[in-house]
Amino acid sequence: MAFNKMWCTVALGLLLPFSYAHTDFFTSIGHMTDLINTEKDLVVSLKDYIKAEESKLEQIKKWAEKLDRLTDTATKDPEGFLGHPVNAFKLMKRLNTEWSELESLVLKDMSDGFISNMTIQRQFFPNDEDQTGAAKALLRLQDTYNLDTDTLSRGNLPGVKHKSFLTAEDCFELGKIAYTEADYYHTELWMEQALKQLDEGEVSSADKVYILDYLSYAVYQQGDLHKAMTLTKRLLELDPEHQRANGNMKYFEYIIAKEKEANKSSTDSEDQSEKETVVKKKDYLPERRKYEMLCRGEGLKMTPQRQKRLFCRYYDGNRNPRYILGPVKQEDEWDKPRIVRFLDIISDEEIETVKELAKPRLSRATVHDPETGKLTTAHYRVSKSAWLSGYESPVVSRINTRIQDLTGLDVSTAEELQVANYGVGGQYEPHFDFARANEPDAFKELGTGNRIATWLFYMSDVSAGGATVFPEVGASVWPRKGTAVFWYNLFPSGEGDYSTRHAACPVLVGNKWVSNKWLHERGQEFRRPCTLSELE
Ligand SMILES: *[C@@H]1O[C@H](CO)[C@@H](O)[C@H](O)[C@H]1NC(C)=O
Ligand SMILES: *[C@@H]1O[C@H](CO)[C@@H](O)[C@H](O)[C@H]1NC(C)=O
């Protein structure tokens, strides 16, 4: 089975263009599960190799023991031993053929199967970019969810099923990646964590001298000269000959001497307080702070009075014949903009079908580059997505009809069903679904006008993180498997509703699957007649 699967993968690899080989694994758990299977197959192969090597050694051992006994007897009385004609014959035979056979056995390479499996699978392995991407995802999560380094390193996250922790070596690696990004804030945090774990006695190949070297630099870059000096001193205790550290030490002493002079001459305390407030964290846009707070479940802007006016109800799609007898459950999630959630609106079987259809086609989600007008990947949209058409499966077609029935909007002018899978750290930073006045060409080729409304299915629960948040209005909507949310992006006048700016929070633990339908203006003229006022 595993064997067959492997060859399928190989055949695909040969047929598709080379770029397929690199697929940004870290952006989607859907693709990473393939890697788990690859690894499992490799372990089987590795164990087969070990077995083969062990049985070879066993044979060699037996031969050695037999010869040991024999030579013992023979050397005690060589002449008497050889006096027996059979022993003489056997000696000739052993030396002429058996030792050569043994030599061949010793030289025999048992690693063929494993090495060829490795060679085949290696072309699908993640590369440096994937490793860096996964590391950056961890740093992003740390910020968004205010996790301290120790919590993250010990793996004490909410809702985790398979606890896992970082070694000092892993922490050092994360610190180095932050360092190459000139992100000294995270460099300091992770180098300190690595050092702490080593100080606590963790056995590791990570080297304190290297860690201190990075750490003191990161600390210095953030303006804490005295701490940088203390760390450099510690480094020099471990390695008194360290050239750069010795050089830095002299430099620090020089700067501090200069500062002292300045302190003496200026009695003004103004610039001191300025220096003390070392800017530790990167400067965030206010929106970013709002976004991150909402992701953590803080900063909701709902008043009890407004809350009282949010209801749940049975909804029949405005007397749609298909729903009169079996209306669906609908909840108000928010009032302005109005966001409603439909419950039990997509079955587990439908979800599985949609996921299976999408999986082979998942590719890194792209965004419009406003400068070139081309589609590109962007750090602010980290997920994988695929488009499914109603023609390819009755399930997709049924889903489209359901959206039409329940929204009262024509889905024939809508975009195809987009399926997205977010891996750990996967996110989509605040954005609008509709095209702004300054980008009239965004949906020109579709010829169906702007994106009037958004329908979003949650196709999985998420253990932690992964909310959909609206930073303008302070709303968060949490993923619940089998439900869907719906809102209008445009006012009835056709103007964009800026309060619909929203984001997909990074997934902290778990795997997030969603699918969405963007409905367009064309076809809705009689279904949602436009008005002149924005407010209606
Ligand atoms: C890969 O490993 C499996 C399991 O050990 C083995 O049966 C198979 O022959 C190997 N494949 C190749 C191409 O050597
Ligand atoms: C200069 O003054 C500030 C504020 O009192 C102090 O923190 C700093 O250590 C002083 N610098 C030196 C080199 O003494």
Side-chain angles (χ1 to χ4, degrees):
M1 196 51 211
F3 187 76
N4 269 339
K5 186 174 160 285
M6 196 182 74
W7 282 104
C8 287
T9 330
V10 174
L12 263 179
L14 294 177
L15 291 173
L16 292 171
F18 178 71
S19 66
Y20 179 78
H22 181 244
T23 49
D24 291 338
F25 285 107
F26 69 92
T27 57
S28 150
I29 290 202
H31 271 146
M32 283 197 289
T33 50
D34 291 348
L35 293 180
I36 298 262
N37 290 327
T38 301
E39 216 175 28
K40 171 117 188 91
D41 291 350
L42 282 177
V43 171
V44 170
S45 183
L46 184 62
K47 281 181 141 175
D48 283 349
Y49 159 68
I50 293 171
K51 237 184 269 161
E53 200 75 81
E54 272 171 355
S55 103
K56 170 178 146 178
L57 261 185
E58 200 52 42
Q59 269 176 278
I60 296 173
K61 231 192 300 182
K62 273 202 194 115
W63 169 263
E65 276 158 15
K66 190 177 109 186
L67 267 284
D68 197 24
R69 281 194 302 273
L70 203 67
T71 49
D72 254 5
T73 328
T75 46
K76 276 187 195 122
D77 176 18
E79 281 178 23
F81 182 80
L82 288 175
H84 195 307
V86 169
N87 280 343
F89 163 69
K90 282 196 146 179
L91 178 65
M92 296 306 113
K93 177 166 170 262
R94 268 204 309 278
L95 289 173
N96 186 42
T97 58
E98 290 180 14
W99 274 104
S100 306
E101 279 165 18
L102 180 81
E103 185 187 25
S104 310
L105 182 62
V106 169
L107 287 174
K108 189 166 171 198
D109 188 358
M110 312 306 285
S111 67
D112 274 2
F114 173 67
I115 296 296
S116 52
N117 269 328
M118 240 341 246
T119 312
I120 292 165
Q121 300 289 7
R122 188 182 274 123
Q123 57 185 321
F124 304 109
F125 277 11
N127 59 19
D128 286 354
E129 208 178 302
D130 290 303
Q131 192 178 335
T132 312
K136 284 195 214 157
L138 266 181
L139 302 181
R140 195 157 57 227
L141 287 174
Q142 183 178 20
D143 280 352
T144 307
Y145 295 105
N146 266 349
L147 301 172
D148 72 69
T149 314
D150 205 53
T151 305
L152 201 51
S153 177
R154 316 273 177 209
N156 291 326
L157 301 178
V160 291
K161 259 193 278 175
H162 306 281
K163 205 169 148 170
S164 171
F165 53 87
L166 295 168
T167 62
E169 180 97 60
D170 295 334
C171 296
F172 181 45
E173 193 62 37
L174 280 172
K176 272 199 293 194
I177 284 168
Y179 173 83
T180 58
E181 301 282 305
D183 172 359
Y184 301 117
Y185 169 70
H186 285 113
T187 311
E188 178 181 353
L189 290 182
W190 285 103
M191 291 298 172
E192 232 158 33
Q193 182 67 26
L195 203 58
K196 182 173 158 204
Q197 290 184 204
L198 290 182
D199 286 345
E200 284 167 3
E202 186 179 316
V203 181
S204 167
S205 61
D207 186 336
K208 280 189 191 176
V209 169
Y210 281 102
I211 296 173
L212 283 164
D213 197 11
Y214 279 100
L215 181 56
S216 63
Y217 184 76
V219 165
Y220 163 71
Q221 280 293 330
Q222 295 179 92
D224 192 344
L225 212 59
H226 286 272
K227 187 170 170 195
M229 217 161 132
T230 314
L231 290 164
T232 308
K233 264 185 208 145
R234 199 176 153 195
L235 192 164
L236 286 171
E237 277 162 21
L238 295 171
D239 180 5
E241 307 299 320
H242 198 284
Q243 277 193 1
R244 188 173 34 250
N246 277 307
N248 286 346
M249 204 61 194
K250 288 207 186 79
Y251 176 65
F252 293 151
E253 278 160 3
Y254 163 78
I255 303 232
I256 285 173
K258 234 173 63 176
E259 233 179 54
K260 269 204 184 109
E261 296 247 314
N263 271 7
K264 253 185 245 155
S265 53
S266 98
T267 48
D268 200 359
S269 65
E270 202 179 359
D271 71 4
Q272 288 169 3
S273 60
E274 218 170 275
K275 254 184 215 130
E276 271 164 26
T277 49
V278 178
V279 185
K280 279 231 141 178
K281 223 166 162 165
K282 281 174 278 170
D283 283 331
Y284 282 134
L285 298 167
E287 180 179 55
R288 179 149 191 102
R289 200 154 39 223
K290 277 193 262 177
Y291 162 53
E292 295 190 342
M293 280 177 72
L294 287 167
C295 287
R296 296 195 292 271
E298 301 162 12
L300 278 182
K301 289 217 194 97
M302 178 50 74
T303 63
Q305 266 153 331
R306 281 164 60 205
Q307 182 80 48
K308 266 190 266 168
R309 288 199 289 269
L310 299 180
F311 295 107
C312 52
R313 64 186 74 78
Y314 281 98
Y315 184 68
D316 64 4
N318 222 349
R319 304 241 188 99
N320 186 299
R322 267 189 279 262
Y323 291 95
I324 287 183
L325 286 181
V328 295
K329 284 181 244 166
Q330 193 192 50
E331 284 176 2
D332 293 329
E333 278 281 345
W334 207 257
D335 48 0
K336 265 184 173 185
R338 181 154 193 252
I339 306 168
V340 293
R341 189 197 292 260
F342 294 91
L343 309 186
D344 301 321
I345 204 65
I346 182 168
S347 70
D348 287 354
E349 295 77 55
E350 286 170 331
I351 287 175
E352 283 317 306
T353 307
V354 168
K355 276 161 63 174
E356 286 316 309
L357 287 170
K359 263 187 195 168
R361 267 185 266 165
L362 287 176
S363 58
R364 178 83 187 260
T366 51
V367 293
H368 273 284
D369 181 333
E371 275 173 19
T372 63
K374 297 234 168 69
L375 288 173
T376 70
T377 61
H379 70 278
Y380 57 83
R381 186 171 187 195
V382 184
S383 69
K384 287 198 163 171
S385 58
W387 297 91
L388 300 182
S389 144
Y391 301 115
E392 53 192 307
S393 157
V395 171
V396 177
S397 164
R398 198 159 75 212
I399 287 171
N400 290 344
T401 309
R402 191 171 308 154
I403 296 172
Q404 172 158 305
D405 287 343
L406 292 171
T407 62
L409 295 174
D410 186 348
V411 289
S412 68
T413 57
E415 291 169 59
E416 293 181 337
L417 188 71
Q418 178 174 233
V419 183
N421 178 215
Y422 295 83
V424 166
Q427 62 166 355
Y428 192 175
E429 287 184 15
H431 63 281
F432 299 107
D433 281 349
F434 61 88
R436 261 75 63 222
N438 62 353
E439 38 181 19
D441 291 344
F443 304 123
K444 201 171 168 189
E445 72 267 37
L446 297 175
T448 51
N450 212 340
R451 283 180 184 152
I452 189 171
T454 298
W455 177 286
L456 177 66
F457 283 113
Y458 292 110
M459 305 203 302
S460 67
D461 291 313
V462 182
S463 305
T468 309
V469 301
F470 295 72
E472 287 297 308
V473 295
S476 334
V477 177
W478 295 89
R480 266 147 66 187
K481 189 176 182 188
T483 70
V485 290
F486 173 77
W487 67 86
Y488 277 102
N489 294 306
L490 305 180
F491 289 112
S493 64
E495 287 289 312
D497 180 351
Y498 283 79
S499 71
T500 61
R501 190 170 170 80
H502 60 284
C505 295
V507 174
L508 179 57
V509 177
N511 185 10
K512 183 181 171 190
W513 283 92
V514 294
S515 55
N516 67 281
K517 194 87 181 159
W518 280 312
L519 298 132
H520 280 244
E521 289 174 293
R522 253 352 120 250
Q524 323 304 351
E525 293 81 357
F526 299 105
R527 293 167 178 265
R528 191 201 196 204
C530 47
T531 59
L532 292 176
S533 155
E534 274 191 11
L535 299 171
E536 268 178 69

